[in-house]
Amino acid sequence: MSHLSSEDESSLQSLVRQLLKSIKERIVGAPSLECVEEILLHLEETDENFHNYELVKYLRNHIDDILGSVIEKETEKCTGEGRTLVSGQDTLVQQVTRNIRESKEYKDMMRSMKNSMMIVVESLINKFEEDQLKKEELHRKKQHEQHTDYCMENCSDSGSLFNQSYTFMNQEQLQILIERMDPGQPMEVRRDALHTLCCAPPSDVLNCEYWGTLCKYIAAALSDPDSTLSDKGLRFYAKTFSSSTFSISREIYTCLAKHLESCFTSQQMPVSTLSVGMDITSPDAVQILKKFRLLNEFQKEVPSFWIRHPEKFMEEIVESTLSLLSVTHEQSLNSDTLDCALEPVYFLALLDIKASWFKKWMHGYYSRTVVLRLLENKYKSLITAAVQQCLNYFDSGKLEDDATDNLCTMLYHINSAQRTYYTGSELQYICFVHSLCLLGRMLMYTHGRKLFPVKVNNKKEPVSLMDLLVLLIRMMYQHPNTTQTGNVTQTDSYAAANLVMEVLRMLCGGKECATECLYKNIITESLLFPIVTLLKGKQIKNCNETVLINIADILARIASTDRGLSLLLFGENDSTNATNCLSTAHIIAEFTKRLLDGELPALDSTEPSSALKGAFIFVCRQMYNTCEGLEVLMPYGLHESISEAWKKASLITERIPTPVAGSESGSSTAHELQNMMNLEEMLLDNLLNFAATPKGLLLLQQTGAINECVNYMFCRFTKKLQVSKCEKFGYGVMVTQVAATAPGIVALQSSGFIKALVMELWSVLECGRDDARMINPKPAPVEAIDRSCQKSFLALVNLLSSYQAVYELIGNLPLPNKAVYSLREVPSSVVDVIDRLIIINSNAKIHSLFNYEHSHMFGLRLLSVLCCNLDILLLLESQYSVTEILLNAQKENVREDLKNLGDFIIDGLSVERNHILIRMELIGGASERDLPPRVLQKGNDPYPWPLFSSYPVPKCYLQEPLKNVVLKQDNEVIKLLKIPGKQSDWLECCKKQFRKNMTIKPEIIKGNTLVELLENVVEFLANNPSECFFRPYKATDDGVMHLTLSPVQQLGIKMVVRYGRFLGVLKTDADEELAVLLMHCDRFLKQQQVALGSSLCCLQGGYVGHDWFASTAFLIMSGDGERTLKFLQPFSNLLVSAFLWLPRLHSSIHLPVERSESGIHPVYSCTTYFIEMLLKKELPLVFSAFRMSGFTPSQICQHWLAQCFWNYLNWTEIGHYIAICIILGPDYQVYMCIALLKHLQQDVLHHMQTQDLQVFLKEEAIHGFHISSYFEYMEKLEKSYRTTILAEMKNINIK
């Protein structure tokens, strides 16, 4: 092969050429020769067609001819004579290969092949150079300048390497080529040299030793008046950008930027003025726009890869750009007219009007730091110029009058290829848009905001950050430039108002920038200026509805955050007691109310649109769906205004005739109907959001629209729609809030929500998903409530948390208890769930379940949570005899083998039933009862707790009865109580001593000391007319003994007596005495009740629950019924009785009829309302945990308060709770719950993460809580909130 014939050489050349053509794309895409070499070396690994190339086949055959016999001999030699390879030695192939490569034949073959291939490659190169010279000669003769111009137009900003041919050059050839590019050479020679340079591989040119000289000559070519030469230079830059390393691209970019800068500073090219405008078809404009276009394309691409390179490279690019854009002509500094010359920023703005390059540069911290540092230290004039552009636009009357033309300019600029000329005003507007977008992006970042204030022309004082933002807001309503339809078209997107809106929305999206930029009084005042003006009855020029809608949008975004909401409600200093002027919230609420009531003058002589009303209602909604916001907006009665507007819209919708297809009026009627339906839906949506707080839910119920609102919510809930554009969560919390009340649960039931929830639960438990393919059987659940049904379980727990709600759903309703249940029979109500999953007392029910154990376990766990509410426990027991059913189930769950006859079978169901039976029987706080665990233990005795099938419970479950310790009667409290003739300051002395003892010696406040303290304080307050909130009534004995107690009360008496005996405060015959007391209370309270026209079940007759406060007072009085009644009678005159004694205000004449008929107790609408308000301020993490869990603090606190913390606190703490509320005021009920949640904070956060917060708060007693430990904290809360809370508590009897 070393002596190739001409035919062999020609054949081999053909094979090499064919290989190169096949891999042309791989080679052309390589940025350097080293990369080409790597591609060829690894071609076999990366090219699946490698062994199909003819050159590869030729080489394989050649190797076989020369080395075939040598390989066979080596193979026989290694395997002959019985030789074997032991472990650890080379394989046979490796050994033969090594021997072959060391042989003389292999070395001779490699030398011969190398020499032959060198001859072939040299021949190919020589032939390629000859062909290239011929092509160049032909090109010069034909002078295809038009073709060159076409290529320039298409490749100036992104020249492709894949459509180019290359001439490989050595250093000597490049040196000659560079000499021919000298500006002193003839034009034709320079053109040819630059054309050849463009055809050379970038790697050869970039590695040239004369790179500096080459850059200088190319820059000279760019500045040359000859357009062909300039185009070729620009084409070389474009190719270099796309194929070179970052360092070379950076150098090329800085050269181009400096060249452009010199064009403006050295007067090398004529620059027109703004008064002349710009004709983009003129040769000078074409050349400079091409250069700026290439510069801008690189600006937008470079952020994607400059982080991989040293910072100084990026800094050079940034600095060269800022230096170029900072170029300002002398006449521009001294003139505000259109006579100033066009600056670089005008050309860049024309190509990138919204400054997308700057947006990309500011996106990453790596580049943003450099940009802002250079702007601050060297190029602050660029920011000054941008601010000046905004000031000029705002102050220019001509631009204001010619706004429509500016928008049309933008539309043509985007869509029209025939647009060739821009006036000076249009160029100024384009530059203004660019400057505004640049400033808006800069304001998002801390160091960007630190560049302010800036000094500008014609302003004595520097322009501060607030000055700029106020200017932009004023620009929004003084230069609206937008349509009134609410639909932002492509043209409108460049209007000043919409550009400002983009900036403001962008600032609203960031917490830090919103705080520093927007959460200021001066900003809200600027936003409210048009609103305040309209409230005064004045008109504003150019202020149309769209402007007001935009203002409302920004206000709503501000109100959607806690800090922004505080700004609107209380001002910048968060002064809740500020009364010197109306807050932003008051102005917005007044404007919205007058807008809804039709008391505002028509805007632009038209009726306010639904969009405008909806926009401002939504701002108010962001406030009234929080407790603090509702408190501020309450005086405006927005719920009534929205309700009235909804009723009017509903009537109009009903009166609009049904559109008839084909009629002339059909389309207009359909449009009108659709608009009214949208208005109706919008008003319902905003009315529904009153249900986000306890008091708001009361207001919603009083509007009479709660059923329609809940229907609307259910419709959106089933579609899994978001509550609003500003809400992060769905309707879960709102559903829970609604379900906490009787009218709310009735509305949920009538809407179909409960039925849908129960059917979904059944699908999860018994049916499985319809769209799930069953390839393998479902695994048996390990947990009692596994992931598949946890969501349904928590939803039911939330739904059935309130006793009033449960009573509306199951009160006086029997179980179906059918003889046969069809397998297709799906439950649709809560009663059905109890019947099919909890009270499983027949084989028919067992056989109707596909997954009996799993489904029944679900029901038992639900029962366990329900029984934590003592009223629900008593209701279930009185109606369905739950205890008897569970005991019978335990009795049947025994072994039948003779060896262990009668032993209980320990399984998940029996353990759960045992836990529930103990929970239902024993009463007490954290240290007063022990509940058996639900899990088995390791070892020989996995469940040491004995199971049972009849009461009483085994003794091991019973705690030792507490001893009633008699305290000394000479303590400070007793001495104070024995003072005869109590003076007016006695109560203050008593409070002072009580506070002292609660802090230092809380153990004194119990037993007889507590009894006498409560009696004396209540007597003193009841004798003071100013302290009597309710009109006094006297208890009578008439007909008391003929009264009968409800089954719930009868079972409650047994429970109270069991607990009293455990505490050691009751005698054996206390049942009858407590029954007489409850009958006296019932008769006493009925004197103060009125018949209501409500359809709620819980309002049909007397109080449907057990009287836990009277029972608590009975135990405090050691079972003395007469003494307890004597205490309760004067106590009922006090305000605190309304919140401690829940039956006190049942259907009461002391409340407005509307409030009584709502079925919502003041404990819920007032106490828990303030608990949520304080919780958000004092314990924001706990408040957020409740929100994320879909549970509300009002629900659990209502539960605790309704049963006086029975089963949650120890008896001593319950006594202290009653004492602090009576002695220090009913507002301590709020502080008590806040202190409890503060104590539970870590547990709440943990169980929020484990997604069982509701279950934890209901099932677990509160361990380690002592009121004395949190008494100082409660006093601190009293100082901050007493005025507000007590004032609201005293307003419960006001309509």
Side-chain angles (χ1 to χ4, degrees):
M1 194 174 178
S2 59
H3 303 287
L4 288 173
S5 64
S6 59
E7 293 181 0
D8 291 339
E9 183 179 347
S10 176
S11 176
L12 198 52
Q13 285 179 3
S14 174
L15 295 177
V16 172
R17 188 180 294 108
Q18 181 185 8
L19 175 65
L20 292 175
K21 286 182 179 180
S22 300
I23 62 174
K24 176 183 176 181
E25 291 187 1
R26 294 170 177 266
I27 298 175
V28 168
S32 63
L33 288 175
E34 291 80 3
C35 293
V36 173
E37 185 177 350
E38 285 295 317
I39 290 173
L40 293 174
L41 287 175
H42 298 279
L43 193 61
E44 184 177 7
E45 303 170 12
T46 59
D47 192 342
E48 59 183 7
N49 296 318
F50 177 79
H51 293 283
N52 295 329
Y53 295 136
E54 294 299 326
L55 177 62
V56 176
K57 293 179 181 179
Y58 171 82
L59 292 175
R60 187 188 299 118
N61 293 332
H62 183 69
I63 293 171
D64 287 342
D65 292 341
I66 297 177
L67 297 180
S69 59
V70 179
I71 293 172
E72 290 178 0
K73 290 180 181 179
E74 281 296 326
T75 303
E76 292 177 358
K77 182 178 178 182
C78 291
T79 57
E81 300 178 358
R83 294 176 59 184
T84 59
L85 296 172
V86 298
S87 177
Q89 292 182 338
D90 293 337
T91 64
L92 175 63
V93 174
Q94 291 174 332
Q95 187 172 349
V96 171
T97 302
R98 185 171 59 252
N99 293 340
I100 293 296
R101 295 188 65 176
E102 294 173 355
S103 66
K104 179 177 179 299
E105 291 85 349
Y106 175 79
K107 294 177 180 178
D108 291 341
M109 181 197 70
M110 291 300 296
R111 190 183 306 109
S112 172
M113 290 177 63
K114 184 176 181 180
N115 292 336
S116 300
M117 292 305 296
M118 287 178 64
I119 294 172
V120 171
V121 171
E122 286 179 2
S123 299
L124 283 173
I125 293 174
N126 293 334
K127 187 174 181 181
F128 179 78
E129 290 177 351
E130 292 175 3
D131 293 342
Q132 188 64 29
L133 290 174
K134 290 178 181 179
K135 289 181 181 179
E136 291 178 11
E137 185 68 24
L138 183 63
H139 174 75
R140 283 195 299 271
K141 289 180 180 180
K142 292 185 177 181
Q143 296 182 348
H144 289 165
E145 296 298 339
Q146 183 177 358
H147 177 69
T148 304
D149 290 340
Y150 175 77
C151 290
M152 178 61 211
E153 192 67 34
N154 287 277
C155 302
S156 63
D157 60 337
S158 56
S160 174
L161 293 175
F162 304 128
N163 297 319
Q164 310 296 325
S165 59
Y166 292 121
T167 302
F168 294 95
M169 293 184 180
N170 54 35
Q171 293 296 318
E172 291 77 10
Q173 291 172 319
L174 281 172
Q175 183 180 0
I176 296 172
L177 195 62
I178 292 171
E179 291 174 356
R180 294 171 61 189
M181 292 174 57
D182 190 296
Q185 295 288 344
M187 183 60 66
E188 191 68 24
V189 174
R190 294 175 67 194
R191 287 179 182 172
D192 293 342
L194 195 52
H195 177 76
T196 306
L197 186 68
C198 289
C199 295
S203 56
D204 287 354
V205 179
L206 300 179
N207 294 323
C208 174
E209 298 175 2
Y210 311 100
W211 172 250
T213 305
L214 179 61
C215 283
K216 183 174 67 174
Y217 289 167
I218 294 176
L222 287 176
S223 304
D224 199 280
D226 183 72
S227 60
T228 303
L229 190 64
S230 178
D231 285 349
K232 289 184 180 294
L234 197 59
R235 184 179 182 185
F236 173 78
Y237 272 9
K239 178 183 289 189
T240 308
F241 276 145
S242 62
S243 59
S244 60
T245 61
F246 180 77
S247 59
I248 299 300
S249 298
R250 177 258 309 171
E251 193 167 346
I252 291 293
Y253 179 86
T254 54
C255 287
L256 180 58
K258 289 177 181 177
H259 160 71
L260 287 170
E261 185 176 349
S262 67
C263 291
F264 290 91
T265 56
S266 61
Q267 304 297 325
Q268 293 180 6
M269 55 173 284
V271 180
S272 61
T273 62
L274 280 172
S275 59
V276 176
M278 183 187 298
D279 181 5
I280 63 173
T281 61
S282 66
D284 292 332
V286 169
Q287 288 299 315
I288 197 167
L289 284 173
K290 285 181 178 179
K291 296 169 185 176
F292 269 104
R293 183 185 177 195
L294 179 59
L295 191 82
N296 184 243
E297 290 295 326
F298 184 78
Q299 287 172 343
K300 292 187 283 190
E301 290 296 327
V302 69
S304 62
F305 56 84
W306 62 13
I307 195 172
R308 299 193 294 268
H309 301 278
E311 186 177 315
K312 69 173 185 176
F313 289 174
M314 175 188 62
E315 189 168 344
E316 289 184 24
I317 292 175
V318 173
E319 184 163 11
S320 62
T321 304
L322 299 182
S323 177
L324 169 63
L325 297 180
S326 299
V327 171
T328 305
H329 295 285
E330 292 297 328
Q331 63 268 32
S332 300
L333 299 175
N334 304 315
S335 176
D336 292 331
T337 66
L338 295 175
D339 294 332
C340 60
L342 291 176
E343 298 168 355
V345 69
Y346 285 93
F347 294 91
L348 185 60
L350 198 60
L351 295 168
D352 188 2
I353 186 170
K354 287 197 172 182
S356 61
W357 67 274
F358 191 74
K359 176 182 178 181
K360 293 185 177 182
W361 284 22
M362 295 290 284
H363 179 69
Y365 177 81
Y366 181 69
S367 56
R368 180 170 66 246
T369 306
V370 174
V371 172
L372 293 175
R373 186 178 72 241
L374 289 173
L375 283 173
E376 181 179 9
N377 296 335
K378 297 179 67 174
Y379 301 104
K380 198 170 183 178
S381 60
L382 186 61
I383 306 303
T384 303
V387 174
Q388 186 72 61
Q389 285 287 348
C390 295
L391 289 170
N392 290 345
Y393 173 75
F394 183 77
D395 295 334
S396 175
K398 183 177 180 180
L399 288 176
E400 180 180 353
D401 297 334
D402 199 26
T404 305
D405 292 341
N406 290 327
L407 295 178
C408 293
T409 296
M410 298 302 101
L411 186 61
Y412 279 125
H413 178 67
I414 295 171
N415 294 330
S416 178
Q418 285 75 33
R419 181 71 173 173
T420 60
Y421 178 75
Y422 296 90
T423 65
S425 298
E426 293 168 348
L427 289 173
Q428 265 196 304
Y429 190 79
I430 291 171
C431 189
F432 155 72
V433 174
H434 186 273
S435 300
L436 179 58
C437 294
L438 185 144
L439 289 172
R441 182 59 53 174
M442 192 180 66
L443 294 181
M444 289 184 62
Y445 306 104
T446 303
H447 291 288
R449 296 188 290 272
K450 288 181 180 178
L451 296 178
F452 288 86
V454 295
K455 180 67 178 175
V456 297
N457 294 337
N458 303 325
K459 291 284 184 180
K460 295 181 180 180
E461 298 295 331
V463 177
S464 66
L465 176 61
M466 289 299 106
D467 292 336
L468 176 62
L469 289 169
V470 170
L471 174 76
L472 297 182
I473 293 170
R474 292 179 61 191
M475 190 184 298
M476 182 170 65
Y477 54 77
Q478 293 188 15
H479 298 266
N481 301 358
T482 185
T483 60
Q484 297 191 37
T485 61
N487 298 319
V488 179
T489 63
Q490 195 171 30
T491 302
D492 291 333
S493 66
Y494 291 96
N498 287 327
L499 291 168
V500 172
M501 279 297 294
E502 284 184 21
V503 172
L504 295 178
R505 285 172 182 149
M506 192 164 54
L507 295 178
C508 287
K511 181 179 180 180
E512 186 177 349
C513 61
T515 301
E516 293 188 24
C517 294
L518 300 180
Y519 299 163
K520 307 289 181 183
N521 286 338
I522 190 173
I523 298 299
T524 55
E525 289 170 5
S526 300
L527 288 168
L528 291 177
F529 175 77
I531 300 172
V532 173
T533 305
L534 290 171
L535 285 174
K536 293 178 180 178
K538 301 177 182 179
Q539 292 289 338
I540 304 176
K541 183 181 178 182
N542 293 330
C543 186
N544 54 39
E545 281 199 354
T546 305
V547 173
L548 295 176
I549 291 172
N550 286 340
I551 291 174
D553 182 41
I554 298 302
L555 290 171
R557 292 172 187 270
I558 292 175
S560 66
T561 64
D562 292 340
R563 183 66 190 89
L565 178 63
S566 177
L567 172 75
L568 298 186
L569 295 176
F570 313 117
E572 188 175 346
N573 297 324
D574 196 17
S575 177
T576 56
N577 298 319
T579 58
N580 54 345
C581 62
L582 289 178
S583 70
T584 302
H586 290 284
I587 297 172
I588 297 170
E590 183 180 355
F591 181 80
T592 306
K593 182 174 178 59
R594 292 174 64 177
L595 197 64
L596 287 169
D597 296 342
E599 297 176 0
L600 276 178
L603 295 169
D604 294 339
S605 302
T606 60
E607 180 69 20
S609 67
S610 301
L612 178 60
K613 294 177 182 177
F616 276 93
I617 295 174
F618 186 75
V619 182
C620 295
R621 160 179 164 176
Q622 293 300 108
M623 293 184 278
Y624 66 62
N625 67 5
T626 65
C627 295
E628 60 271 30
L630 181 62
E631 192 67 17
V632 173
L633 299 189
M634 270 288 292
Y636 295 93
L638 287 175
H639 62 291
E640 296 174 351
S641 297
I642 298 173
S643 174
E644 288 301 318
W646 168 72
K647 291 175 183 176
K648 290 179 183 178
S650 299
L651 288 175
I652 295 174
T653 303
E654 293 173 0
R655 292 174 182 173
I656 295 176
T658 304
V660 179
S663 64
E664 295 181 359
S665 61
S667 59
S668 61
T669 303
H671 182 69
E672 181 185 2
L673 179 61
Q674 185 62 45
N675 287 340
M676 291 308 301
M677 290 177 66
N678 291 339
L679 173 62
E680 186 180 352
E681 188 175 288
M682 178 271 293
L683 293 169
L684 267 184
D685 187 26
N686 288 292
L687 197 58
L688 168 65
N689 275 263
F690 277 98
T693 64
K695 184 187 288 186
L697 183 58
L698 172 64
L699 299 178
L700 174 60
Q701 194 279 334
Q702 291 177 348
T703 64
I706 187 171
N707 289 331
E708 290 79 2
C709 287
V710 171
N711 282 332
Y712 171 78
M713 177 178 67
F714 175 58
C715 180
R716 291 182 62 85
F717 184 82
T718 53
K719 297 176 182 178
K720 293 181 171 56
L721 297 177
Q722 199 171 343
V723 177
S724 75
K725 61 185 178 182
C726 296
E727 288 286 337
K728 297 179 181 178
F729 303 102
Y731 284 95
V733 174
M734 197 174 295
V735 170
T736 306
Q737 196 77 270
V738 170
T741 64
I745 202 71
V746 170
L748 286 171
Q749 187 174 34
S750 63
S751 71
F753 179 87
I754 296 178
K755 180 179 180 181
L757 178 62
V758 170
M759 293 179 70
E760 182 182 358
L761 163 66
W762 195 259
S763 174
V764 171
L765 283 177
E766 289 291 309
C767 305
R769 288 171 47 196
D770 293 336
D771 57 346
R773 293 183 60 188
M774 291 297 294
I775 299 175
N776 297 314
K778 281 179 61 177
V782 177
E783 300 292 335
I785 305 296
D786 65 347
R787 279 191 169 276
S788 64
C789 56
Q790 184 180 24
K791 184 177 179 181
S792 298
F793 178 74
L794 295 179
L796 271 178
V797 170
N798 293 343
L799 200 69
L800 305 177
S801 178
S802 164
Y803 172 67
Q804 285 73 21
V806 173
Y807 190 84
E808 293 297 323
L809 295 177
I810 69 172
N812 301 318
L813 294 179
L815 294 178
N817 282 326
K818 297 181 182 180
V820 178
Y821 290 87
S822 169
L823 293 176
R824 295 184 178 274
E825 189 174 346
V826 177
S828 59
S829 66
V830 174
V831 171
D832 290 343
V833 170
I834 296 174
D835 181 53
R836 301 290 298 278
L837 299 181
I838 298 177
I839 311 295
I840 302 183
N841 54 354
S842 68
N843 290 331
K845 295 181 180 180
I846 296 175
H847 296 156
S848 70
L849 298 175
F850 287 107
N851 305 301
Y852 164 67
E853 288 192 4
H854 184 216
S855 298
H856 188 31
M857 177 62 75
F858 180 96
L860 291 177
R861 289 306 307 270
L862 179 62
L863 174 63
S864 175
V865 177
L866 291 177
C867 288
C868 295
N869 188 308
L870 296 181
D871 279 323
I872 296 177
L873 167 61
L874 297 177
L875 179 65
L876 292 174
E877 181 66 18
S878 63
Q879 289 190 179
Y880 307 131
S881 302
V882 176
T883 302
E884 182 182 350
I885 301 296
L886 295 178
L887 290 173
N888 288 336
Q890 292 292 78
K891 187 182 300 183
E892 295 172 359
N893 195 44
V894 296
R895 297 185 182 183
E896 296 181 355
D897 57 301
L898 295 177
K899 185 176 181 181
N900 299 294
L901 185 63
D903 287 354
F904 289 97
I905 299 173
I906 299 176
D907 58 8
L909 294 177
S910 62
V911 168
E912 185 65 32
R913 282 192 291 263
N914 187 61
H915 179 92
I916 295 173
L917 287 168
I918 300 299
R919 180 181 291 276
M920 295 172 69
E921 179 69 10
L922 302 182
I923 303 296
S927 63
E928 294 173 346
R929 68 170 180 173
D930 287 329
L931 298 177
R934 290 186 167 102
V935 295
L936 302 182
Q937 301 175 358
K938 294 181 179 180
N940 297 328
D941 190 5
Y943 195 75
W945 301 85
L947 302 182
F948 60 95
S949 59
S950 62
Y951 283 137
V953 300
K955 293 183 179 180
C956 63
Y957 292 110
L958 301 176
Q959 295 276 1
E960 289 293 329
L962 298 180
K963 295 181 180 180
N964 195 6
V965 180
V966 179
L967 299 173
K968 296 181 180 180
Q969 298 298 309
D970 58 350
N971 58 66
E972 295 84 349
V973 177
I974 294 296
K975 292 177 181 178
L976 186 64
L977 297 177
K978 290 181 178 180
I979 296 177
K982 300 178 177 63
Q983 303 298 321
S984 58
D985 62 343
W986 177 85
L987 184 61
E988 291 302 319
C989 296
C990 185
K991 289 181 179 181
K992 184 178 179 181
Q993 185 62 47
F994 176 74
R995 292 175 187 272
K996 179 180 177 182
N997 285 341
M998 283 301 300
T999 305
I1000 301 174
K1001 298 180 179 179
E1003 65 276 3
I1004 294 178
I1005 311 298
K1006 65 179 181 180
N1008 191 54
T1009 302
L1010 176 62
V1011 172
E1012 293 191 18
L1013 178 63
L1014 293 178
E1015 287 178 333
N1016 279 267
V1017 170
V1018 168
E1019 181 184 2
F1020 183 87
L1021 292 173
N1023 291 331
N1024 187 349
S1026 63
E1027 296 291 342
C1028 291
F1029 186 79
F1030 299 108
R1031 190 176 63 194
Y1033 279 82
K1034 188 175 182 181
T1036 62
D1037 296 336
D1038 298 342
V1040 170
M1041 302 311 296
H1042 299 290
L1043 296 176
T1044 57
L1045 297 176
S1046 68
V1048 169
Q1049 289 175 315
Q1050 294 173 12
L1051 290 173
I1053 290 172
K1054 294 179 181 179
M1055 185 180 290
V1056 172
V1057 171
R1058 281 201 307 271
Y1059 187 41
R1061 288 174 179 170
F1062 165 74
L1063 295 174
V1065 297
L1066 292 185
K1067 303 174 184 177
T1068 54
D1069 57 347
D1071 301 60
E1072 184 177 348
E1073 193 160 356
L1074 177 56
V1076 172
L1077 171 66
L1078 292 181
M1079 287 187 287
H1080 272 287
C1081 291
D1082 190 34
R1083 171 53 61 93
F1084 173 67
L1085 294 179
K1086 277 187 177 179
Q1087 298 176 33
Q1088 307 168 52
Q1089 292 174 1
V1090 63
L1092 300 174
S1094 174
S1095 61
L1096 295 174
C1097 298
C1098 62
L1099 296 180
Q1100 308 303 313
Y1103 186 70
V1104 294
H1106 183 72
D1107 193 338
W1108 295 107
F1109 178 77
S1111 299
T1112 304
F1114 180 73
L1115 295 186
I1116 290 176
M1117 303 295 178
S1118 299
D1120 189 335
E1122 185 177 348
R1123 190 177 186 181
T1124 305
L1125 183 62
K1126 187 178 178 181
F1127 165 78
L1128 290 176
Q1129 185 172 345
F1131 173 76
S1132 66
N1133 301 337
L1134 307 179
L1135 174 63
V1136 67
S1137 67
F1139 298 94
L1140 288 182
W1141 194 5
L1142 265 63
R1144 173 74 182 86
L1145 292 183
H1146 175 75
S1147 302
S1148 176
I1149 61 175
H1150 302 294
L1151 295 179
V1153 175
E1154 296 83 0
R1155 197 156 193 167
S1156 295
E1157 289 182 343
S1158 71
I1160 300 176
H1161 198 279
V1163 166
Y1164 179 77
S1165 62
C1166 187
T1167 300
T1168 64
Y1169 166 74
F1170 282 108
I1171 289 171
E1172 291 197 0
M1173 181 189 294
L1174 269 63
L1175 192 65
K1176 186 177 180 180
K1177 291 183 179 180
E1178 300 292 330
L1179 303 170
L1181 292 179
V1182 175
F1183 182 81
S1184 298
F1186 273 98
R1187 296 280 294 180
M1188 295 179 70
S1189 299
F1191 196 50
T1192 61
S1194 58
Q1195 276 195 318
I1196 189 62
C1197 291
Q1198 180 182 228
H1199 177 177
W1200 288 341
L1201 296 172
Q1203 61 193 49
C1204 297
F1205 294 100
W1206 283 40
N1207 278 353
Y1208 292 100
L1209 294 179
N1210 292 331
W1211 176 246
T1212 302
E1213 302 305 320
I1214 293 175
H1216 288 171
Y1217 158 68
I1218 300 295
I1220 61 173
C1221 290
I1222 293 177
I1223 298 171
L1224 301 180
D1227 53 325
Y1228 265 80
Q1229 191 177 55
V1230 177
Y1231 314 143
M1232 173 75 175
C1233 291
I1234 297 296
L1236 276 170
L1237 292 171
K1238 180 179 176 66
H1239 176 75
L1240 294 172
Q1241 178 165 345
Q1242 294 304 318
D1243 292 321
V1244 168
L1245 297 179
H1246 170 71
H1247 287 280
M1248 179 271 293
Q1249 294 179 336
T1250 56
Q1251 299 181 3
D1252 62 345
L1253 178 60
Q1254 304 89 314
V1255 178
F1256 164 75
L1257 290 175
K1258 283 178 166 292
E1259 289 192 336
E1260 293 297 321
I1262 302 171
H1263 295 268
F1265 179 81
H1266 299 285
I1267 293 178
S1268 58
S1269 302
Y1270 288 89
F1271 191 74
E1272 291 183 358
Y1273 176 70
M1274 288 190 271
E1275 288 183 314
K1276 177 185 172 184
L1277 295 176
E1278 176 194 353
K1279 291 178 182 178
S1280 301
Y1281 303 106
R1282 160 157 279 191
T1283 303
T1284 303
I1285 297 176
L1286 269 184
E1288 187 64 29
M1289 285 182 163
K1290 291 177 181 179
N1291 287 337
I1292 60 173
N1293 59 352
I1294 299 176
K1295 184 176 179 180

